Amino acid sequence: MPDTLAQTLAHEAVGHYGMRKWLGAEWPTFMRGIQNGAKSGDKGLQQLQTHIRQTYVDGKGNYQLSARQESDEIAAYAAEELICYQTGTLRPDRAWQKAFLATRGRLIREGLLLDGSISREELEGALFLAAKHMEAGPWSKAQDRISTFLASWGIIWPMAKFDPLKRPPTYQESMELLRRADQQVKDKEERAFLWNGLVGIVCLVGLVAAIGLMLFGVAQMIFGR
């Protein structure tokens, strides 16, 4: 059936493959975050978890999945529920708001090396961005137009090139960026110190010259008569 085919494609292409492609090395951390979210009481995740634990059993009723496999299936089944049959795309409600939550979560987890909890809303945002990442073409064209517009108005170039579909910097990359920023601050302070020193020297020379001229003028007044 067409709806079954759409659900299968969303499950496999976005829920499994797309999430791995979008998250990259952060995928295992995200899977742990889904487990943490279910344990912390997120109703949306727990509902999917219950369905999966009833489905993936052997003939004796023994559960067959590891914690990571279970999280993987939670993400894939969530993708099925987000499919829009009219357009064939994943369209959660408040999609970009949830995408923001997903992007912010990645920055926190990867930038600070934290295994935080992931909510159902953040999962849906991540699935939406994973689907956009797989579409590539239309998003890339729109992103190029946005970047060109921002650059034309003098917006800082790194901000103009920001792409929420790309992974955030790793811990090592973040540390390198911080090191460079710290070095730039130190270089700026050193230049400011040298400049202030030169200005101070010039002012001191001017002051000495002014005092000298003043003394010369006084001497002329006293001894010149």
Side-chain angles (χ1 to χ4, degrees):
M1 297 293 292
D3 57 347
T4 303
L5 176 60
Q7 287 178 328
T8 301
L9 288 173
H11 182 109
E12 300 296 340
V14 181
H16 290 315
Y17 178 77
M19 288 287 280
R20 285 169 170 79
K21 291 291 289 182
W22 180 61
L23 289 166
E26 204 248 337
W27 181 81
T29 305
F30 195 93
M31 294 298 105
R32 289 195 298 271
I34 291 177
Q35 287 291 315
N36 292 339
K39 290 176 182 177
S40 66
D42 187 284
K43 298 299 184 183
L45 295 179
Q46 289 180 341
Q47 183 179 9
L48 288 170
Q49 186 182 57
T50 299
H51 171 72
I52 289 166
R53 290 183 176 182
Q54 293 172 348
T55 302
Y56 288 87
V57 295
D58 60 16
K60 297 181 180 180
N62 297 315
Y63 189 52
Q64 298 295 298
L65 302 183
S66 66
R68 179 179 292 183
Q69 290 172 330
E70 180 180 86
S71 296
D72 196 15
E73 292 302 327
I74 288 174
Y77 275 92
E80 288 187 33
E81 296 183 359
L82 299 178
I83 193 73
C84 173
Y85 296 112
Q86 285 73 32
T87 63
T89 60
L90 266 65
R91 297 184 63 178
D93 61 303
R94 298 178 292 109
W96 288 107
Q97 181 178 340
K98 293 177 180 179
F100 170 77
L101 292 176
T103 303
R104 184 185 64 178
R106 289 192 66 185
L107 291 170
I108 293 173
R109 285 190 302 276
E110 190 161 329
L112 302 178
L113 298 180
L114 297 176
D115 280 357
S117 297
I118 290 172
S119 66
R120 173 66 184 265
E121 288 195 341
E122 185 177 340
L123 173 59
E124 291 185 1
L127 288 164
F128 174 70
L129 290 175
K132 288 293 182 183
H133 182 68
M134 294 180 68
E135 291 172 12
W139 170 259
S140 297
K141 293 178 182 178
Q143 184 66 22
D144 288 342
R145 288 195 293 270
I146 294 170
S147 299
T148 301
F149 173 78
L150 292 174
S152 69
W153 284 89
I155 306 299
I156 299 174
W157 185 246
M159 290 179 61
K161 297 299 288 183
F162 171 73
D163 185 352
L165 302 185
K166 293 182 180 179
R167 68 166 179 81
T170 62
Y171 175 76
Q172 289 78 10
E173 291 170 343
S174 298
M175 291 300 99
E176 178 62 20
L177 289 172
L178 289 173
R179 186 193 65 79
R180 291 179 183 176
D182 185 57
Q183 187 61 46
Q184 289 177 351
V185 171
K186 289 181 179 178
D187 292 342
K188 185 177 180 180
E189 290 177 347
E190 290 177 357
R191 288 194 297 269
F193 177 77
L194 290 174
W195 174 252
N196 291 334
L198 289 173
V199 171
I201 291 172
V202 171
C203 291
L204 180 61
V205 171
L207 179 62
V208 171
I211 292 173
L213 289 173
M214 184 180 67
L215 293 176
F216 178 76
V218 172
Q220 285 289 97
M221 291 173 61
I222 296 175
F223 299 107
R225 293 181 179 180

